[in-house]
Amino acid sequence: MQDTLLLGSEGIKKTILHGGTGEIPKFITGAKVTFHFRTQLCDDDRTVIDDSKVVGTPMEVVIGNMFKLDIWETLLSSMRIGEVAEFWCDTIVSQPSEYNRESWALSDEERLKVVPVLHGQGNKLYKQGRYQEATQKYKEAIICIKNVQTKEKAWEAPWLKLEKTANTLTLNYCQCLLRMEEYYEVIEHTSDIINQHPGSVKAFYLRGKAHMEVWNEAEARQDFSRVLDLDPGMKKAVKRELAVLNGETEAMAGEEAKNLSIHLPGPEKLPLINYWNDFVGPMCLNAPSARELKCWLCCF
C-alpha cells in the first residue's frame, strides 16, 4: 500500500491498494471507462452504501459527457489500468445509484428499451411544469444512449441513429433549462449540437431564445435568421420572438436615452442673453463637431 496522495482537488485523498500497469491514461472526450466500485461511510463500521460487484455489473462512465458524474471523472483520471485504490472524499459525491441503478446496470439492449420510457416520462413532467424532474429523466436517457453509442463506429448508420435520439433528448433537456432560466447552459449545449449538426433547426431556435434572454441581440438575430433559412415554416414563431426582441431593444434604448438626457433650464426661465452666455455658448465652444453641436441644441 502506498502512502496517501492528495489529488489536485480540494477534499480528496487517495491511497493505492494495488498498483496498475503502464502510464496513467490520458482520456479524451467520449472515452468510456469501465470499473467496479464500493462506496462506504467514514464511520466505525465502514458501512457499505453501494457495491457494484454485489450487483454483478461494472459501472461505466463516458469521459467529458455533459452529464458526467462530477467527482467520479476526477478519481478515474488518476488511476492506471488494473489499479485498485481507495479515495477519501470530504465533499459531496454523486452516487451512480442516484442515476437509477437499473439504468447503468442494464445491458445495451435493455438500455435501448428503457430510453423511450424515460423520454416519455420526461415529456409528461415537462407538460406538468416539473422541469427539474424532467431534466433528470432526459439526463438518464442520454446517458443510456451515450454508453451504447461508444460501441459504434462514429458517423456510420447505427451511430447516427443513436446520435439523432441523443440530440432530441438534449434539446428537450434544453427546453427545461430555458424554463429554469439556465440560459448560458442552453447556449453551451445547443452550440455543441450545432457544431456537429449545423442543420438542426431546433438547436438554432433554442439558442436564439437563450441569447435573447441574456441580451446577446446580434447573436439572437443571427440564430433566428438561420432558423428561417433552414425552415421557412418557422416564420410565425420567429416573427413572434423578434417582436419581443424588438420591443425589449426599444425599451432599453428609451431607458438609456432617458438616463443620458441633458436637463437644462428652459429659455423662459432666464433672460435670452444670459441663457446663451451661460449655457449655449460654452457648449458651442466645447462641441468637438458640428454633428454633436446639432445633437446638443436639439436637447433644448
Side-chain angles (χ1 to χ4, degrees):
M1 180 184 296
Q2 292 189 13
D3 293 337
T4 298
L5 305 173
L6 287 175
L7 294 181
S9 298
E10 184 178 357
I12 301 177
K13 297 179 181 179
K14 172 184 177 181
T15 300
I16 298 175
L17 305 179
H18 176 77
T21 58
E23 299 295 325
I24 295 177
K26 295 181 188 263
F27 296 119
I28 62 173
T29 299
K32 184 174 68 175
V33 183
T34 303
F35 61 98
H36 278 290
F37 72 93
R38 180 171 59 203
T39 309
Q40 298 172 279
L41 294 176
C42 295
D43 56 10
D44 294 337
D45 297 326
R46 302 296 298 274
T47 304
V48 176
I49 300 174
D50 216 349
D51 192 331
S52 63
K53 285 193 174 181
V54 172
V55 178
T57 304
M59 177 62 181
E60 294 179 344
V61 169
V62 179
I63 298 297
N65 191 294
M66 68 181 185
F67 303 115
K68 64 186 179 183
L69 304 181
D70 299 327
I71 298 297
W72 287 86
E73 186 170 312
T74 300
L75 306 184
L76 293 168
S77 296
S78 75
M79 301 179 70
R80 292 175 169 81
I81 303 298
E83 179 180 317
V84 179
E86 181 179 77
F87 297 92
W88 179 86
C89 302
D90 184 17
T91 184
I92 297 175
V93 179
S94 300
Q95 297 297 328
S97 56
E98 292 180 15
Y99 284 79
N100 189 340
R101 174 175 291 283
E102 287 82 10
S103 66
W104 69 260
L106 296 176
S107 66
D108 287 347
E109 183 179 355
E110 291 168 327
R111 282 174 177 149
L112 293 177
K113 287 181 179 180
V114 81
V115 165
V117 176
L118 293 168
H119 191 171
Q121 291 172 342
N123 290 349
K124 183 177 180 179
L125 290 166
Y126 178 86
K127 291 176 181 178
Q128 294 173 349
R130 297 158 65 182
Y131 306 120
Q132 182 64 52
E133 294 171 75
T135 61
Q136 296 305 314
K137 296 298 181 181
Y138 294 137
K139 277 184 180 182
E140 193 171 345
I142 292 168
I143 290 171
C144 286
I145 288 291
K146 291 297 184 181
N147 276 316
V148 176
Q149 193 181 29
T150 57
K151 299 176 183 178
E152 303 291 347
K153 189 172 182 179
W155 302 106
E156 292 193 351
W159 186 94
L160 286 171
K161 184 178 180 180
L162 294 170
E163 179 77 352
K164 182 178 179 180
T165 302
N167 287 344
T168 297
L169 290 162
T170 302
L171 292 171
N172 286 2
Y173 174 80
C174 287
Q175 283 187 288
C176 292
L177 293 181
L178 276 175
R179 296 285 188 171
M180 296 161 61
E181 300 183 358
E182 299 290 347
Y183 304 123
Y184 288 104
E185 192 174 350
V186 173
I187 292 171
E188 177 186 352
H189 297 327
T190 51
S191 294
D192 287 342
I193 291 178
I194 289 169
N195 289 338
Q196 293 290 325
H197 307 280
S200 177
V201 177
K202 189 173 181 180
F204 276 109
Y205 182 72
L206 294 179
R207 191 173 73 172
K209 286 174 68 71
H211 275 310
M212 188 170 69
E213 293 292 344
V214 296
W215 288 105
N216 294 339
E217 181 187 355
E219 290 84 350
R221 293 186 185 280
Q222 288 175 1
D223 281 346
F224 289 138
S225 177
R226 187 63 181 140
V227 169
L228 292 179
D229 290 340
L230 293 169
D231 185 0
M234 291 286 291
K235 183 177 180 180
K236 186 175 180 180
V238 170
K239 184 177 180 180
R240 183 174 59 247
E241 298 298 338
L242 289 176
V244 174
L245 180 59
N246 291 336
E248 292 177 348
T249 302
E250 290 173 4
M252 176 172 282
E255 187 64 26
E256 289 179 349
K258 180 181 178 181
N259 292 337
L260 294 173
S261 62
I262 301 174
H263 298 285
L264 298 175
E268 70 279 1
K269 303 287 184 165
L270 295 171
L272 181 58
I273 185 64
N274 290 339
Y275 185 72
W276 177 267
N277 291 339
D278 294 342
F279 295 98
V280 180
M283 290 179 69
C284 292
L285 293 175
N286 294 326
S289 68
R291 183 178 179 182
E292 290 192 25
L293 174 59
K294 181 179 179 182
C295 292
W296 283 349
L297 294 176
C298 287
C299 296
F300 297 163

